[in-house]
Amino acid sequence: MKVVVVGGGLAGITAAVALAQGDADVTLLEAKPRLGGATMSFTRDDLVIDTGQHVFLRCCTAYRGLLDRLGMGAHAPLQPRFDVTVVSPQRRARLKRGRVPAPLHMLPALLRYPFLSYPERTRLSRAALGFRGLKLADPATDEQRLGDWLAARGQDERTRRTLWDLFFISTLNVPGDDGSLALAGKVAQTGLLGDADAADIGVPALSLGELHGAAAERLLGKLGATVRLNTKVAAIEAKGPNEFAVQIGRTAEGEDILSADAVVLAVPHEAAARLIPPGALPAETVDGWAGLGAAPIVNVHVIYDRKVMDVPFAAAVDSPVQWVFDRTRISGMHARGDDGQYLAISLSAADEYVDVPAAALREQFVPALAELFPAAREATVTEFFVTRERRATFRQVPGTARLRPQAATDLPGLTLAGSWTDTGWPDTMEGAVRSGLSAVIALREQADNEDAVSELTNEQVNTVDSVREVRS
């Protein structure tokens, strides 16, 4: 069966690999010059720069499964135990899980958390118990604003800013109070209150370009799939059930038309709305995707002439800095003869920063780092630059669950993938991989002959089944 996958991000990579492993004739089309989508790398002055500072948790089983299939699992190690250094201009703390069963595994660390008063710490259990009892599949849950729900459970402004924001701003990419309660509840139930080791953090030891894009291109080549980069799709025409014409933008030879028995449309929701053929979904459904919007992430890159941070990453409170990562080794900085340290600040929900000039960001964030890390006060900044992801995620606010489509469409042979689709997860790498698997499952369910689409491994099928269980 000939399948065209449109979009080479994590969702498209996942779908293409699963289909190729099932002996489908797969062609993966990507408009950019490399695979990886929002998780790719580029070079700047002999440094390897990731488009964003992406981490994952042990509970991200679908993403970890993809890394294993790409042969990259060993290059994305997990902490033996959840362990985060939290810094402020006045002090530092450490959130580290204990060696006790869930849900008590985080209790000792929270009871010692110095950024909250004792009464504030004692009230944390009200929110934790509330999260455990949430019905995530109830549409009313998604209609609630996270900040209002937390405040009703005794979580004051200080508690929300210095604790809950550490987890929810980076995963929902909107100001902490503004997030969808259903998506925040998914983070809390699965990562913070699930298995004791669910929130252990994984940080890639290679650049994202190597970890995802280059590895996927190698594997797909071995599986016999075709990967076409710098290839923008202009239109998708449905000629009949399981019969599609995929039009590539003009080339030197004119228009290029690919015939396919099935198409996986794995692009952002704005592009999907333009490309999806008539009859695939009701027009009002497709028009509704515009309501998902977009939220930016800004990354501030600071290179010093010496080491200033003594941990691989840290979260910040009482500071404009949110999370900061040591990128020295991954970037290849020392290989170019530079003995300093390269730090990258990741700013989620970055509407206030996305249009600020780099010079103004330097004036704000270099002093902010010096407040958090005393060694930076004596160090010299040798390089400073900013990268901006203006449409990093959809805007994960109340009311978006009803706008996120499932993988299957009304046209047999056409499915949707992307972290913006109805995965039950926030717009994350895990959500993207799950969406790719769901798209392949939907193709299999649509096909008259299931063997013609893909025979997924048991591990892959179980992962997709767990997506469905979110709604049960």
Side-chain angles (χ1 to χ4, degrees):
M1 188 171 190
K2 299 176 71 171
V3 185
V4 171
V5 178
V6 182
L10 289 183
I13 287 171
T14 301
V17 168
L19 288 161
Q21 287 178 331
D23 296 326
D25 179 357
V26 177
T27 299
L28 175 59
L29 307 177
E30 169 54 47
K32 295 178 181 178
R34 56 187 70 87
L35 297 180
T39 65
M40 63 174 62
S41 308
F42 62 95
T43 57
R44 179 187 188 275
D45 296 334
D46 297 324
L47 292 178
V48 179
I49 313 297
D50 283 347
T51 51
Q53 312 310 311
H54 295 272
V55 301
F56 61 98
L57 304 181
R58 194 181 297 275
C59 62
C60 296
T61 53
Y63 172 71
R64 291 169 54 211
L66 175 64
L67 290 181
D68 288 340
R69 288 189 288 281
L70 297 178
M72 291 286 114
H75 300 291
L78 284 155
Q79 295 175 326
R81 282 196 288 164
F82 174 86
D83 190 355
V84 173
T85 297
V86 184
V87 294
S88 80
Q90 292 77 35
R91 58 171 66 93
R92 75 164 49 190
R94 193 174 179 188
L95 282 173
K96 185 174 183 179
R97 71 171 171 89
R99 299 183 183 275
V100 296
L104 303 177
H105 55 296
M106 292 297 295
L107 183 61
L110 293 175
L111 291 177
R112 294 191 299 266
Y113 191 57
F115 298 106
L116 298 178
S117 67
Y118 180 76
E120 288 169 334
R121 283 177 255 164
T122 59
R123 289 195 291 269
L124 292 175
S125 60
R126 291 183 59 190
L129 290 172
F131 277 126
R132 293 194 75 187
L134 279 178
K135 296 180 179 178
L136 303 184
D138 186 344
T141 304
D142 179 66
E143 297 292 336
Q144 295 186 60
R145 184 172 173 267
L146 173 62
D148 297 336
W149 185 90
L150 285 172
R153 283 150 187 81
Q155 312 302 290
D156 60 17
E157 176 79 13
R158 178 71 182 169
T159 303
R160 301 199 303 276
R161 300 292 79 82
T162 61
L163 181 66
W164 295 115
D165 277 3
L166 298 183
F167 306 108
F168 295 132
I169 289 182
S170 58
T171 51
L172 303 186
N173 197 29
V174 292
D177 285 350
D178 294 340
S180 156
L181 176 59
L183 292 175
K186 178 61 181 175
V187 174
Q189 287 186 5
T190 307
L192 302 178
L193 302 172
D195 295 338
D197 62 355
D200 297 346
I201 297 174
V203 179
L206 295 176
S207 69
L208 295 177
E210 293 180 84
L211 197 70
H212 299 156
E217 197 164 358
R218 286 195 301 271
L219 177 58
L220 288 169
K222 292 178 182 177
L223 293 171
T226 300
V227 176
R228 293 179 57 174
L229 304 175
N230 296 303
T231 303
K232 187 173 183 178
V233 173
I236 300 170
E237 181 183 357
K239 294 182 171 296
N242 296 107
E243 186 181 359
F244 298 89
V246 179
Q247 178 185 331
I248 311 301
R250 283 196 168 274
T251 65
E253 295 77 23
E255 291 182 348
D256 186 1
I257 304 293
L258 298 181
S259 297
D261 303 309
V263 173
V264 177
L265 188 53
V267 295
H269 63 86
E270 304 98 332
R274 293 193 299 269
L275 291 175
I276 192 166
L281 288 171
E284 58 270 23
T285 297
V286 177
D287 292 343
W289 296 348
L292 292 171
I297 294 175
V298 170
N299 291 276
V300 176
H301 307 261
V302 188
I303 298 179
Y304 294 93
D305 65 345
R306 67 195 74 178
K307 186 174 183 177
V308 301
M309 187 173 78
D310 59 352
V311 290
F313 60 89
V317 298
D318 299 327
S319 169
V321 175
Q322 294 176 13
W323 287 81
V324 57
F325 298 84
D326 182 355
R327 300 284 305 169
T328 307
R329 187 182 61 79
I330 294 176
S331 69
M333 179 177 165
H334 289 169
R336 70 174 189 176
D338 193 330
D339 294 328
Q341 187 176 35
Y342 167 11
L343 301 184
I345 302 169
S346 180
L347 300 172
S348 300
D351 295 272
E352 65 179 299
Y353 300 116
V354 71
D355 292 315
V356 175
L361 292 175
R362 178 171 180 152
E363 290 180 2
Q364 180 177 9
F365 284 96
V366 170
L369 285 173
E371 285 189 323
L372 299 176
F373 305 105
R377 299 168 192 170
E378 305 299 324
T380 298
V381 175
T382 60
E383 294 180 59
F384 182 97
F385 57 98
V386 178
T387 54
R388 309 169 200 261
E389 302 169 80
R390 295 181 177 275
R391 309 186 75 79
T393 67
F394 74 88
R395 195 167 289 274
Q396 299 172 87
V397 295
T400 50
R402 56 184 169 79
L403 303 178
R404 300 174 72 181
Q406 296 189 20
T409 72
D410 296 336
L411 290 178
L414 177 70
T415 60
L416 300 173
S419 52
W420 59 278
T421 62
D422 184 10
T423 65
W425 282 69
D427 189 339
T428 58
M429 296 192 296
E430 176 72 5
V433 174
R434 285 174 178 259
S435 77
L437 294 174
S438 292
V440 176
I441 289 291
L443 282 183
R444 188 177 70 172
E445 292 175 343
Q446 289 175 345
D448 292 331
N449 181 359
E450 293 186 357
D451 291 338
V453 180
S454 175
E455 284 301 324
L456 297 176
T457 65
N458 288 333
E459 176 188 359
Q460 291 170 311
V461 172
N462 290 339
T463 300
V464 178
D465 286 344
S466 68
V467 175
R468 296 176 180 138
E469 289 170 8
V470 170
R471 307 185 191 95
S472 66

